[in-house]
Amino acid sequence: MNKAALYKAFETKYEELKAALAGDDLERMKQLTLEVHAMVHPAEVSGASEKTIADYVLDYMLAGNQNKLVPRQIWDTDLHYAGTDMVPLCWQFWHTYRIEDLVSNILMADQDQIFNDEWQKKIGATITDTGNALEPDEVRDFGEKINAEALRDYMITVGKNTRTILEKLTLDEIKSMVPEEWVMRILEVGGVTTDFRSVWLLVFWGRLTRAGMILTPMTYHHMMHLPACIDHLSIID
């Protein structure tokens, strides 16, 4: 399958998910949420039999390309909230899965994030936050220290955990926002910094219902970053 077909399949299913989340059929919501989530995560996360968009990029990274520079994302509208518009490939996965870990656990489930001191040591990360505000020299230094295999393990752990959280959501939870103190907990645990290019995320996430979190951090956010890697590096045709 080529990248155009993969992108089209995602967009079609994503539109179905948006429509479902606007309704009240909980089982339909969950079914589509899990299907779309699976499309933008490595197949191991969901048990899928075919390679996903994420698998192509992950395989390329694990083949010794973690420090290949790629555009930060496919949209440039938010780049004034970024320290640099070019990042190492491994930063893309760090950024998207740190956000998924923080949002799914702290905001969606009111529980501790997966990331801790042990994970930081294994991965070799110089930061604990999402990396939004890193300057060009800082992001290159970050990439050079990353253990790609450990980052992959973190990704799989986060993705599987998210699916467990998504399966347990009630209709009322999906339709509702979360308390402000949950949002501020992300700052307290070091998920964002006080730099305006990082802390703005709290405002953004704090305005979302859990349905909005499903539509952005859990699914579409990955598609803001994966195509930037695929298209720039010609990973698949």
Side-chain angles (χ1 to χ4, degrees):
M1 183 178 288
N2 62 29
K3 68 181 182 183
L6 287 169
Y7 295 172
K8 179 63 176 177
F10 170 82
E11 293 291 348
T12 299
K13 189 65 67 172
Y14 183 77
E15 290 301 317
E16 292 180 32
L17 173 60
K18 282 203 296 186
L21 289 170
D24 294 310
D25 186 338
L26 179 60
E27 292 309 309
R28 178 69 172 160
M29 289 179 187
K30 289 186 177 182
Q31 174 195 344
L32 287 168
T33 293
L34 293 172
E35 287 180 10
V36 175
H37 184 270
M39 296 175 84
V40 294
H41 290 72
E44 184 179 344
V45 169
S46 64
S49 58
E50 297 183 358
K51 290 179 70 169
T52 68
I53 297 168
D55 281 312
Y56 288 104
V57 182
L58 179 59
D59 289 349
Y60 187 86
M61 181 185 78
L62 294 175
N65 297 303
Q66 72 182 58
N67 285 304
K68 290 279 189 180
L69 291 179
V70 296
R72 184 179 182 272
Q73 60 192 49
I74 56 173
W75 295 346
D76 61 5
T77 51
D78 290 334
L79 287 180
H80 60 290
Y81 288 131
T84 178
D85 61 355
M86 294 294 289
V87 294
L89 183 59
C90 61
W91 180 93
Q92 301 281 32
F93 284 127
W94 168 267
H95 173 75
T96 49
Y97 283 82
R98 280 300 289 126
I99 285 179
E100 182 169 331
D101 186 3
L102 292 161
V103 173
S104 64
N105 286 295
I106 296 177
L107 299 188
M108 299 185 82
D110 187 25
Q111 62 190 26
D112 291 340
Q113 63 174 334
I114 289 169
F115 187 78
N116 55 24
D117 291 344
E118 183 178 353
W119 272 114
Q120 184 175 9
K121 184 177 180 180
K122 286 180 181 178
I123 296 170
T126 55
I127 59 175
T128 64
D129 64 278
T130 65
N132 280 60
L134 293 179
E135 299 285 351
D137 58 335
E138 294 173 325
V139 81
R140 284 193 295 270
D141 180 65
F142 165 85
E144 289 169 0
K145 292 179 170 62
I146 290 294
N147 180 315
E149 291 287 349
L151 177 57
R152 175 206 169 277
D153 292 343
Y154 174 66
M155 292 164 54
I156 300 301
T157 302
V158 169
K160 288 183 175 180
N161 179 72
T162 296
R163 294 180 72 81
T164 299
I165 291 170
L166 295 172
E167 288 171 346
K168 294 178 180 178
L169 290 175
T170 66
L171 183 59
D172 285 345
E173 287 172 336
I174 289 173
K175 298 287 187 179
S176 66
M177 299 172 68
V178 301
E180 183 178 340
E181 56 265 29
W182 295 13
V183 179
M184 294 307 298
R185 199 182 310 155
I186 291 178
L187 178 62
E188 294 167 7
V189 303
V192 299
T193 73
T194 54
D195 189 304
F196 81 94
R197 296 168 298 183
S198 179
V199 77
W200 74 271
L201 290 168
L202 299 185
V203 178
F204 178 75
W205 296 332
R207 292 173 176 170
L208 298 176
T209 61
R210 287 184 183 83
M213 295 174 195
I214 289 170
L215 289 173
T216 311
M218 301 303 107
T219 57
Y220 207 88
H221 183 233
H222 292 270
M223 285 299 289
M224 291 174 63
H225 294 275
L226 291 170
C229 305
I230 290 173
D231 296 347
H232 185 74
L233 299 170
S234 300
I235 294 173
I236 54 177
D237 295 330

